[in-house]
Amino acid sequence: MISITPGSHAFRLISLLLLVGEYPFQGLGLIGDARTLKALAVKMSQPHEVQYNHKSVSYNGRILLISGSGRYKTIRLYKWFFPVLEKYFHDAYRYYLFEHPNHNFHSERNKIERNHRVAEALSFMLLSGIESRPYKTPTLQRMTIDRKPYLEPAYYSSRMVKSLVESQLQKTQYTRYVGILLYQTGYYVIYNSRKAVMRWNGEGEQKTTLDVSNLCSMNCESTGLRSAILLGYDYQVALNTINQYESGSRYVKLFSQNYHRIHFIPMTEEGIKMLQILVVPNWQHRILHMLFEEEQIRLNTGSFQFDALVDDTRVLCFMDCDILKLISFYKAARESDFSWSVVCYDSQVEFLRSYLGDTADLRSFDLNDFHKEMEANRKALL
Protein backbone atom coordinates (compact mmCIF):
# COMPACT_ATOMS: atom_id res chain seq x y z
CA MET A 1 0.00 0.00 0.00
CA ILE A 2 1.28 3.48 -0.96
CA SER A 3 -0.25 6.22 1.18
CA ILE A 4 -0.29 9.70 -0.34
CA THR A 5 -1.14 12.48 2.10
CA PRO A 6 -0.42 16.20 1.72
CA GLY A 7 3.05 16.89 3.08
CA SER A 8 4.23 13.28 2.87
CA HIS A 9 7.34 12.27 0.92
CA ALA A 10 5.17 10.55 -1.69
CA PHE A 11 3.05 13.67 -2.12
CA ARG A 12 6.16 15.86 -2.47
CA LEU A 13 7.71 13.58 -5.10
CA ILE A 14 4.54 13.52 -7.19
CA SER A 15 4.03 17.29 -6.90
CA LEU A 16 7.63 17.94 -7.94
CA LEU A 17 7.52 15.61 -10.93
CA LEU A 18 4.34 17.30 -12.15
CA LEU A 19 6.36 20.53 -12.31
CA VAL A 20 9.68 19.31 -13.71
CA GLY A 21 8.78 16.15 -15.66
CA GLU A 22 11.81 14.18 -14.49
CA TYR A 23 14.19 14.36 -11.54
CA PRO A 24 17.65 12.84 -10.98
CA PHE A 25 17.56 9.75 -8.77
CA GLN A 26 20.99 10.62 -7.39
CA GLY A 27 19.84 14.15 -6.56
CA LEU A 28 17.01 13.17 -4.22
CA GLY A 29 19.21 14.09 -1.26
CA LEU A 30 18.78 17.75 -2.24
CA ILE A 31 15.11 17.64 -1.25
CA GLY A 32 15.35 15.49 1.87
CA ASP A 33 16.90 12.38 3.39
CA ALA A 34 18.48 10.63 0.39
CA ARG A 35 18.20 7.08 1.74
CA THR A 36 14.52 7.47 2.64
CA LEU A 37 13.55 9.13 -0.63
CA LYS A 38 15.45 6.68 -2.81
CA ALA A 39 13.82 3.74 -1.03
CA LEU A 40 10.41 5.37 -1.46
CA ALA A 41 11.03 6.06 -5.16
CA VAL A 42 11.94 2.40 -5.73
CA LYS A 43 8.81 1.33 -3.84
CA MET A 44 6.64 3.69 -5.91
CA SER A 45 8.11 2.19 -9.10
CA GLN A 46 6.60 -1.19 -8.17
CA PRO A 47 2.89 -2.17 -8.31
CA HIS A 48 0.98 -1.16 -5.19
CA GLU A 49 -2.52 -0.24 -4.13
CA VAL A 50 -2.87 3.50 -3.56
CA GLN A 51 -4.48 5.41 -0.73
CA TYR A 52 -4.95 9.17 -1.01
CA ASN A 53 -5.44 11.19 2.18
CA HIS A 54 -6.45 8.04 4.08
CA LYS A 55 -9.09 7.12 1.47
CA SER A 56 -8.85 4.13 -0.84
CA VAL A 57 -8.21 4.86 -4.53
CA SER A 58 -9.19 2.50 -7.33
CA TYR A 59 -5.65 2.07 -8.61
CA ASN A 60 -3.24 -0.81 -8.28
CA GLY A 61 0.02 -0.36 -10.14
CA ARG A 62 3.15 1.74 -10.49
CA ILE A 63 3.33 5.44 -9.72
CA LEU A 64 6.89 6.19 -10.86
CA LEU A 65 9.16 4.96 -13.62
CA ILE A 66 12.92 4.78 -12.96
CA SER A 67 15.24 4.53 -15.95
CA GLY A 68 18.91 5.01 -16.83
CA SER A 69 21.95 4.53 -14.64
CA GLY A 70 24.55 6.52 -12.74
CA ARG A 71 24.15 10.28 -12.89
CA TYR A 72 21.63 9.87 -15.72
CA LYS A 73 19.32 7.71 -13.63
CA THR A 74 16.02 9.56 -13.71
CA ILE A 75 12.54 9.40 -12.16
CA ARG A 76 9.33 10.09 -14.09
CA LEU A 77 5.62 9.64 -13.53
CA TYR A 78 4.05 6.44 -14.79
CA LYS A 79 1.45 7.07 -17.51
CA TRP A 80 -1.20 4.74 -16.10
CA PHE A 81 -1.30 6.79 -12.91
CA PHE A 82 -2.63 9.85 -14.78
CA PRO A 83 -6.34 9.39 -13.86
CA VAL A 84 -5.41 9.66 -10.18
CA LEU A 85 -3.30 12.75 -10.89
CA GLU A 86 -6.15 14.40 -12.78
CA LYS A 87 -8.49 13.90 -9.83
CA TYR A 88 -6.26 14.86 -6.91
CA PHE A 89 -3.56 17.11 -8.47
CA HIS A 90 -5.76 18.93 -10.97
CA ASP A 91 -3.93 22.27 -11.54
CA ALA A 92 -0.47 20.69 -11.48
CA TYR A 93 -1.66 17.90 -13.78
CA ARG A 94 -3.01 20.40 -16.33
CA TYR A 95 0.34 22.18 -16.34
CA TYR A 96 2.15 18.86 -16.76
CA LEU A 97 0.05 17.99 -19.84
CA PHE A 98 0.76 21.43 -21.29
CA GLU A 99 4.53 21.01 -20.88
CA HIS A 100 4.66 17.30 -21.78
CA PRO A 101 1.59 16.69 -23.97
CA ASN A 102 2.71 13.26 -25.20
CA HIS A 103 4.53 12.24 -22.01
CA ASN A 104 7.66 11.91 -24.13
CA PHE A 105 11.18 12.59 -22.87
CA HIS A 106 14.46 12.67 -24.75
CA SER A 107 16.82 9.78 -24.14
CA GLU A 108 19.96 11.72 -25.13
CA ARG A 109 22.28 12.22 -22.19
CA ASN A 110 22.72 15.95 -22.77
CA LYS A 111 18.93 16.41 -22.71
CA ILE A 112 18.62 14.41 -19.49
CA GLU A 113 21.44 16.41 -17.91
CA ARG A 114 19.74 19.65 -18.91
CA ASN A 115 16.39 18.54 -17.47
CA HIS A 116 18.10 17.54 -14.23
CA ARG A 117 19.71 20.98 -13.88
CA VAL A 118 16.36 22.69 -14.40
CA ALA A 119 14.60 20.31 -11.99
CA GLU A 120 17.12 20.72 -9.17
CA ALA A 121 17.04 24.51 -9.39
CA LEU A 122 13.25 24.60 -9.29
CA SER A 123 13.08 22.26 -6.29
CA PHE A 124 15.68 24.41 -4.49
CA MET A 125 13.51 27.47 -5.05
CA LEU A 126 10.45 25.72 -3.65
CA LEU A 127 12.42 24.54 -0.62
CA SER A 128 13.49 28.16 -0.11
CA GLY A 129 9.86 29.28 -0.03
CA ILE A 130 10.02 31.00 -3.41
CA GLU A 131 6.91 30.48 -5.51
CA SER A 132 7.81 28.54 -8.64
CA ARG A 133 4.52 26.94 -9.66
CA PRO A 134 3.56 28.54 -12.99
CA TYR A 135 -0.13 28.56 -12.15
CA LYS A 136 0.56 30.60 -8.98
CA THR A 137 3.15 33.16 -10.17
CA PRO A 138 2.32 36.49 -11.86
CA THR A 139 2.08 36.17 -15.63
CA LEU A 140 5.10 37.50 -17.49
CA GLN A 141 4.38 39.93 -20.33
CA ARG A 142 6.46 40.07 -23.47
CA MET A 143 4.49 42.39 -25.73
CA THR A 144 3.32 45.07 -23.28
CA ILE A 145 4.80 46.78 -20.22
CA ASP A 146 3.16 45.53 -17.03
CA ARG A 147 5.48 46.27 -14.11
CA LYS A 148 4.59 44.50 -10.88
CA PRO A 149 6.02 45.13 -7.39
CA TYR A 150 6.89 41.46 -6.69
CA LEU A 151 6.31 41.89 -2.98
CA GLU A 152 6.70 38.11 -2.95
CA PRO A 153 9.59 36.72 -5.06
CA ALA A 154 8.72 34.51 -8.00
CA TYR A 155 10.80 32.03 -9.99
CA TYR A 156 10.26 31.18 -13.67
CA SER A 157 11.99 28.23 -15.30
CA SER A 158 13.92 28.81 -18.52
CA ARG A 159 11.40 26.63 -20.32
CA MET A 160 8.64 29.11 -19.51
CA VAL A 161 10.75 32.15 -20.39
CA LYS A 162 11.70 30.71 -23.76
CA SER A 163 8.10 29.79 -24.57
CA LEU A 164 6.98 33.42 -24.34
CA VAL A 165 8.20 34.16 -27.85
CA GLU A 166 8.71 31.31 -30.27
CA SER A 167 11.66 33.00 -31.99
CA GLN A 168 13.54 32.99 -28.67
CA LEU A 169 13.75 29.19 -28.68
CA GLN A 170 16.40 29.11 -31.36
CA LYS A 171 18.15 32.25 -30.17
CA THR A 172 18.85 30.90 -26.67
CA GLN A 173 18.97 27.18 -27.29
CA TYR A 174 22.61 26.91 -26.26
CA THR A 175 22.42 28.98 -23.10
CA ARG A 176 22.93 27.34 -19.72
CA TYR A 177 20.60 29.39 -17.54
CA VAL A 178 17.81 27.40 -15.87
CA GLY A 179 15.47 30.21 -14.82
CA ILE A 180 14.99 33.77 -13.60
CA LEU A 181 14.12 34.96 -10.10
CA LEU A 182 12.29 38.27 -9.67
CA TYR A 183 11.91 40.06 -6.34
CA GLN A 184 11.02 43.51 -5.07
CA THR A 185 14.33 45.29 -5.67
CA GLY A 186 15.95 43.29 -8.44
CA TYR A 187 16.24 40.06 -10.37
CA TYR A 188 18.67 37.17 -10.86
CA VAL A 189 19.41 34.85 -13.75
CA ILE A 190 19.81 31.36 -12.27
CA TYR A 191 22.40 28.75 -13.26
CA ASN A 192 22.95 25.27 -11.82
CA SER A 193 26.48 23.91 -12.16
CA ARG A 194 25.72 20.81 -10.02
CA LYS A 195 29.11 19.19 -9.23
CA ALA A 196 31.30 20.56 -11.99
CA VAL A 197 32.55 23.83 -13.46
CA MET A 198 30.14 24.83 -16.18
CA ARG A 199 31.21 25.52 -19.75
CA TRP A 200 29.23 28.55 -20.92
CA ASN A 201 28.49 29.55 -24.48
CA GLY A 202 29.56 33.19 -24.78
CA GLU A 203 27.24 34.25 -27.59
CA GLY A 204 24.28 32.40 -26.10
CA GLU A 205 24.79 33.97 -22.68
CA GLN A 206 25.09 37.47 -24.13
CA LYS A 207 21.77 37.05 -25.93
CA THR A 208 20.23 35.63 -22.78
CA THR A 209 21.42 38.55 -20.65
CA LEU A 210 19.97 41.09 -23.08
CA ASP A 211 16.73 39.18 -23.50
CA VAL A 212 16.19 38.69 -19.76
CA SER A 213 17.04 42.34 -19.04
CA ASN A 214 14.41 43.46 -21.55
CA LEU A 215 11.88 40.98 -20.18
CA CYS A 216 12.46 42.08 -16.59
CA SER A 217 12.26 45.78 -17.49
CA MET A 218 8.76 45.11 -18.83
CA ASN A 219 7.63 43.18 -15.76
CA CYS A 220 9.61 44.54 -12.75
CA GLU A 221 9.43 47.89 -11.02
CA SER A 222 13.13 47.58 -10.14
CA THR A 223 15.68 45.70 -12.25
CA GLY A 224 18.93 46.68 -10.51
CA LEU A 225 22.30 45.38 -11.70
CA ARG A 226 22.72 42.39 -13.95
CA SER A 227 23.12 39.66 -11.37
CA ALA A 228 23.36 35.89 -11.61
CA ILE A 229 23.05 33.16 -9.00
CA LEU A 230 25.25 30.14 -9.58
CA LEU A 231 23.98 27.06 -7.74
CA GLY A 232 26.29 24.14 -6.95
CA TYR A 233 26.39 21.12 -4.68
CA ASP A 234 29.14 22.55 -2.44
CA TYR A 235 31.87 25.21 -2.19
CA GLN A 236 34.34 23.00 -4.04
CA VAL A 237 32.41 23.92 -7.19
CA ALA A 238 32.92 27.62 -6.41
CA LEU A 239 36.64 27.08 -5.78
CA ASN A 240 37.07 25.15 -9.04
CA THR A 241 35.18 27.86 -10.92
CA ILE A 242 37.43 30.59 -9.50
CA ASN A 243 40.57 28.57 -10.27
CA GLN A 244 39.51 28.10 -13.88
CA TYR A 245 38.67 31.79 -14.16
CA GLU A 246 42.11 32.79 -12.92
CA SER A 247 43.81 30.25 -15.18
CA GLY A 248 42.31 32.09 -18.14
CA SER A 249 39.50 29.68 -19.01
CA ARG A 250 37.68 31.25 -21.95
CA TYR A 251 34.38 29.64 -21.02
CA VAL A 252 34.29 31.05 -17.48
CA LYS A 253 35.42 34.53 -18.54
CA LEU A 254 32.77 34.69 -21.24
CA PHE A 255 30.16 34.06 -18.56
CA SER A 256 31.54 36.65 -16.16
CA GLN A 257 31.51 39.38 -18.81
CA ASN A 258 27.71 39.32 -18.89
CA TYR A 259 27.05 40.04 -15.21
CA HIS A 260 28.05 42.61 -12.60
CA ARG A 261 27.57 40.09 -9.80
CA ILE A 262 27.70 36.31 -9.62
CA HIS A 263 26.46 34.96 -6.29
CA PHE A 264 27.45 31.37 -5.55
CA ILE A 265 24.88 29.50 -3.44
CA PRO A 266 25.46 25.89 -2.28
CA MET A 267 22.36 23.71 -2.53
CA THR A 268 22.31 22.94 1.19
CA GLU A 269 20.19 23.94 4.18
CA GLU A 270 22.50 26.90 4.78
CA GLY A 271 22.31 27.75 1.09
CA ILE A 272 18.53 28.01 1.44
CA LYS A 273 18.97 30.65 4.15
CA MET A 274 21.50 32.53 2.02
CA LEU A 275 19.08 32.59 -0.90
CA GLN A 276 16.25 33.76 1.35
CA ILE A 277 18.42 36.70 2.42
CA LEU A 278 19.17 37.54 -1.23
CA VAL A 279 15.47 38.15 -1.92
CA VAL A 280 14.95 40.51 1.03
CA PRO A 281 14.39 44.03 -0.36
CA ASN A 282 17.65 46.03 -0.29
CA TRP A 283 19.39 43.13 1.44
CA GLN A 284 22.94 44.32 0.69
CA HIS A 285 22.32 47.74 2.24
CA ARG A 286 20.87 46.12 5.35
CA ILE A 287 23.75 43.66 5.81
CA LEU A 288 26.40 46.36 5.51
CA HIS A 289 24.62 48.57 8.04
CA MET A 290 24.47 45.64 10.45
CA LEU A 291 28.25 45.28 10.20
CA PHE A 292 29.64 48.80 9.81
CA GLU A 293 29.07 52.42 10.71
CA GLU A 294 27.67 54.63 7.98
CA GLU A 295 30.95 56.49 7.50
CA GLN A 296 32.88 53.22 7.10
CA ILE A 297 30.84 51.90 4.17
CA ARG A 298 32.43 52.23 0.73
CA LEU A 299 30.60 51.08 -2.37
CA ASN A 300 31.90 51.20 -5.96
CA THR A 301 34.90 53.35 -5.04
CA GLY A 302 38.47 53.17 -6.31
CA SER A 303 39.88 50.82 -8.93
CA PHE A 304 38.35 47.72 -7.34
CA GLN A 305 35.39 46.82 -5.15
CA PHE A 306 35.42 46.62 -1.40
CA ASP A 307 32.65 47.28 1.09
CA ALA A 308 34.11 49.17 4.02
CA LEU A 309 37.17 51.03 5.21
CA VAL A 310 37.86 50.37 8.89
CA ASP A 311 41.00 51.92 10.47
CA ASP A 312 42.76 52.00 7.06
CA THR A 313 41.84 48.34 6.45
CA ARG A 314 39.86 47.58 3.30
CA VAL A 315 37.11 45.11 4.13
CA LEU A 316 35.25 42.81 1.77
CA CYS A 317 31.86 41.47 2.84
CA PHE A 318 31.46 38.00 1.34
CA MET A 319 28.03 37.48 2.87
CA ASP A 320 26.67 38.31 -0.57
CA CYS A 321 28.54 35.23 -1.91
CA ASP A 322 29.70 37.30 -4.91
CA ILE A 323 32.64 35.40 -6.41
CA LEU A 324 33.35 38.09 -9.03
CA LYS A 325 33.85 40.69 -6.31
CA LEU A 326 35.97 38.22 -4.33
CA ILE A 327 38.27 37.59 -7.33
CA SER A 328 38.66 41.32 -8.02
CA PHE A 329 39.35 42.11 -4.35
CA TYR A 330 41.96 39.39 -3.88
CA LYS A 331 43.74 40.30 -7.13
CA ALA A 332 44.08 43.88 -5.92
CA ALA A 333 45.21 42.69 -2.48
CA ARG A 334 48.00 40.56 -3.98
CA GLU A 335 49.21 43.41 -6.15
CA SER A 336 49.18 46.08 -3.41
CA ASP A 337 50.48 46.46 0.11
CA PHE A 338 47.35 47.76 1.84
CA SER A 339 45.80 46.05 4.85
CA TRP A 340 42.73 43.97 4.09
CA SER A 341 40.25 41.57 5.68
CA VAL A 342 37.11 39.63 4.79
CA VAL A 343 33.87 39.21 6.76
CA CYS A 344 31.80 36.12 6.05
CA TYR A 345 29.51 33.48 7.49
CA ASP A 346 31.02 30.69 9.61
CA SER A 347 30.19 28.14 6.92
CA GLN A 348 32.24 30.07 4.33
CA VAL A 349 35.50 30.09 6.29
CA GLU A 350 36.90 26.81 4.96
CA PHE A 351 36.24 27.82 1.35
CA LEU A 352 37.81 31.26 1.84
CA ARG A 353 40.88 29.76 3.56
CA SER A 354 41.33 27.45 0.56
CA TYR A 355 41.28 30.40 -1.81
CA LEU A 356 42.81 33.26 0.19
CA GLY A 357 45.31 31.21 2.22
CA ASP A 358 45.65 30.33 5.89
CA THR A 359 47.02 33.75 6.82
CA ALA A 360 44.01 35.70 5.51
CA ASP A 361 42.31 37.92 8.08
CA LEU A 362 38.77 36.52 8.30
CA ARG A 363 35.96 37.54 10.65
CA SER A 364 33.05 35.15 10.59
CA PHE A 365 29.50 35.38 11.91
CA ASP A 366 26.61 33.00 12.46
CA LEU A 367 24.35 32.92 9.41
CA ASN A 368 21.33 32.24 11.63
CA ASP A 369 21.77 35.57 13.42
CA PHE A 370 21.63 37.55 10.17
CA HIS A 371 18.83 35.39 8.79
CA LYS A 372 16.73 36.09 11.89
CA GLU A 373 17.58 39.80 12.11
CA MET A 374 16.57 40.35 8.48
CA GLU A 375 13.35 38.35 8.94
CA ALA A 376 14.31 36.33 5.87
CA ASN A 377 12.66 33.05 6.83
CA ARG A 378 10.17 31.66 4.31
CA LYS A 379 7.98 28.59 4.54
CA ALA A 380 9.06 25.79 2.22
CA LEU A 381 6.63 25.14 -0.64
CA LEU A 382 7.79 21.55 -1.30
Side-chain angles (χ1 to χ4, degrees):
M1 172 73 73
I2 297 289
S3 179
I4 304 171
T5 56
S8 67
H9 287 317
F11 185 92
R12 293 170 64 207
L13 275 177
I14 292 171
S15 300
L16 181 57
L17 287 170
L18 284 169
L19 286 173
V20 301
E22 59 181 353
Y23 202 85
F25 185 83
Q26 300 296 335
L28 288 174
L30 295 177
I31 63 173
D33 179 71
R35 180 177 298 181
T36 299
L37 288 172
K38 288 179 180 179
L40 177 62
V42 171
K43 182 179 179 181
M44 293 171 70
S45 69
Q46 300 166 352
H48 285 279
E49 291 184 6
V50 174
Q51 184 184 74
Y52 181 82
N53 209 13
H54 307 296
K55 296 180 181 179
S56 180
V57 176
S58 58
Y59 179 81
N60 190 334
R62 303 177 182 181
I63 299 175
L64 304 181
L65 178 67
I66 301 177
S67 61
S69 60
R71 74 184 207 186
Y72 300 103
K73 194 172 186 179
T74 194
I75 307 169
R76 300 166 185 154
L77 291 165
Y78 198 65
K79 186 174 183 178
W80 300 113
F81 190 62
F82 282 8
V84 179
L85 296 173
E86 183 177 16
K87 183 176 181 179
Y88 297 108
F89 297 80
H90 184 64
D91 289 342
Y93 176 68
R94 289 179 59 188
Y95 170 75
Y96 179 86
L97 290 183
F98 174 78
E99 288 293 336
H100 312 285
N102 298 316
H103 190 59
N104 290 330
F105 295 90
H106 295 282
S107 59
E108 297 94 333
R109 289 193 165 188
N110 64 321
K111 297 289 186 181
I112 294 174
E113 171 82 10
R114 169 70 183 173
N115 287 343
H116 286 178
R117 289 180 189 273
V118 173
E120 287 176 347
L122 191 144
S123 65
F124 189 71
M125 295 295 159
L126 290 172
L127 288 169
S128 302
I130 296 171
E131 188 57 77
S132 309
R133 293 166 289 189
Y135 43 88
K136 289 183 176 289
T137 53
T139 302
L140 291 175
Q141 299 295 330
R142 183 72 191 189
M143 305 306 295
T144 59
I145 296 176
D146 181 21
R147 296 191 176 102
K148 297 168 281 292
Y150 280 96
L151 300 179
E152 292 296 324
Y155 176 74
Y156 302 87
S157 73
S158 56
R159 185 182 294 120
M160 173 179 290
V161 175
K162 291 178 183 180
S163 68
L164 289 175
V165 180
E166 186 175 353
S167 62
Q168 298 300 309
L169 289 172
Q170 183 176 2
K171 189 173 90 169
T172 61
Q173 63 179 322
Y174 297 112
T175 187
R176 293 299 188 96
Y177 85 106
V178 293
I180 59 173
L181 170 57
L182 283 63
Y183 72 111
Q184 190 173 348
T185 55
Y187 74 91
Y188 304 102
V189 184
I190 310 298
Y191 295 81
N192 179 11
S193 58
R194 308 191 79 194
K195 291 183 179 180
V197 176
M198 193 176 293
R199 294 168 63 90
W200 285 278
N201 177 284
E203 182 180 355
E205 300 308 332
Q206 287 179 339
K207 291 178 179 179
T208 296
T209 303
L210 179 61
D211 187 55
V212 169
S213 295
N214 291 336
L215 180 67
C216 291
S217 68
M218 299 178 72
N219 289 272
C220 300
E221 291 185 349
S222 176
T223 56
L225 296 174
R226 288 182 179 175
S227 301
I229 289 178
L230 177 62
L231 301 175
Y233 282 5
D234 53 41
Y235 278 109
Q236 186 61 47
V237 175
L239 185 61
N240 292 343
T241 300
I242 290 175
N243 289 338
Q244 286 212 17
Y245 179 96
E246 294 190 330
S247 69
S249 170
R250 169 178 174 270
Y251 297 102
V252 179
K253 285 187 178 293
L254 282 171
F255 173 60
S256 67
Q257 290 170 4
N258 297 308
Y259 297 101
H260 300 100
R261 298 171 178 163
I262 299 177
H263 309 274
F264 179 84
I265 302 292
M267 289 189 285
T268 61
E269 289 186 10
E270 291 203 338
I272 287 174
K273 293 180 180 180
M274 292 177 188
L275 179 60
Q276 289 173 339
I277 288 176
L278 262 59
V279 294
V280 172
N282 300 310
W283 57 269
Q284 186 184 36
H285 174 87
R286 292 183 60 181
I287 286 179
L288 292 178
H289 280 80
M290 289 169 65
L291 290 166
F292 308 106
E293 300 296 330
E294 179 69 40
E295 61 272 15
Q296 294 175 329
I297 296 175
R298 302 285 192 276
L299 291 177
N300 301 318
T301 59
S303 58
F304 71 100
Q305 294 186 53
F306 60 98
D307 297 297
L309 184 64
V310 182
D311 298 330
D312 292 326
T313 297
R314 290 162 174 79
V315 183
L316 174 79
C317 176
F318 190 63
M319 292 174 176
D320 59 7
C321 317
D322 185 351
I323 58 175
L324 277 187
K325 186 175 68 172
L326 177 65
I327 292 171
S328 172
F329 179 82
Y330 189 43
K331 180 177 184 293
R334 291 195 302 261
E335 295 175 350
S336 306
D337 57 359
F338 57 75
S339 176
W340 59 275
S341 68
V342 177
V343 294
C344 61
Y345 296 125
D346 294 337
S347 58
Q348 297 173 325
V349 169
E350 183 178 355
F351 157 69
L352 289 171
R353 290 279 183 217
S354 298
Y355 176 53
L356 302 174
D358 293 335
T359 60
D361 180 18
L362 304 182
R363 289 191 297 138
S364 66
F365 298 85
D366 190 337
L367 168 63
N368 294 319
D369 292 340
F370 282 77
H371 189 259
K372 181 178 180 179
E373 181 67 23
M374 297 184 70
E375 300 179 322
N377 189 52
R378 312 186 68 84
K379 183 180 179 180
L381 300 176
L382 177 61

